[in-house]
């Protein structure tokens, strides 16, 4: 996948962070369950989920994620909304650092 070498401007970062603050959430791997059940059974990992209220918002979220250098997962619908996951411990840590920077 081709990544952009141009830095993402502050307005687009702020828009992505606003989507997260509005109703996004983080799911983290349960270390106790992983050690009890093992990797063969418990396959969940870390992820950030951004929630879109329309297909237009979902498309915008996906564009913003790609522009920021993230690899978005496959979106899915839930409760008449759309969820856009970002998988992987590294991507989640980088996303949360971007959110904490207050950009």
């Amino acid at each position: 996948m081709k990544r952009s070498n141009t830095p993402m401007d502050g307005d687009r970062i702020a828009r992505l962070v606003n989507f997260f603050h509005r109703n996004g959430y983080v799911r983290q791997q349960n270390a106790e369950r992983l050690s009890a059940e093992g990797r063969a059974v418990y396959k969940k990992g870390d992820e950030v989920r951004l929630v879109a209220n329309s297909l237009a918002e979902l498309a915008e979220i996906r564009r913003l994620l790609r522009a920021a250098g993230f690899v978005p997962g496959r979106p899915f619908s839930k409760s008449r909304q759309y969820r856009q996951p970002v998988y992987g411990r590294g991507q989640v840590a980088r996303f949360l650092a971007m959110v904490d920077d207050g950009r």
Side-chain angles (χ1 to χ4, degrees), residues 25-73:
Y25 54 100
V26 178
R27 294 176 51 108
Q28 294 182 315
Q29 187 177 59
N30 183 331
E32 291 177 14
R33 186 171 170 195
L34 178 63
S35 65
E37 296 179 19
R39 291 193 185 277
V41 176
Y42 181 66
K43 298 180 183 283
K44 304 291 187 254
D46 295 348
E47 65 181 282
V48 170
R49 289 184 180 176
L50 301 172
V51 180
N53 292 324
S54 67
L55 286 172
E57 275 189 1
L58 178 62
E60 180 182 4
I61 289 170
R62 291 179 62 80
R63 266 193 313 274
L64 292 169
L65 286 169
R66 285 191 196 104
F70 294 98
V71 179

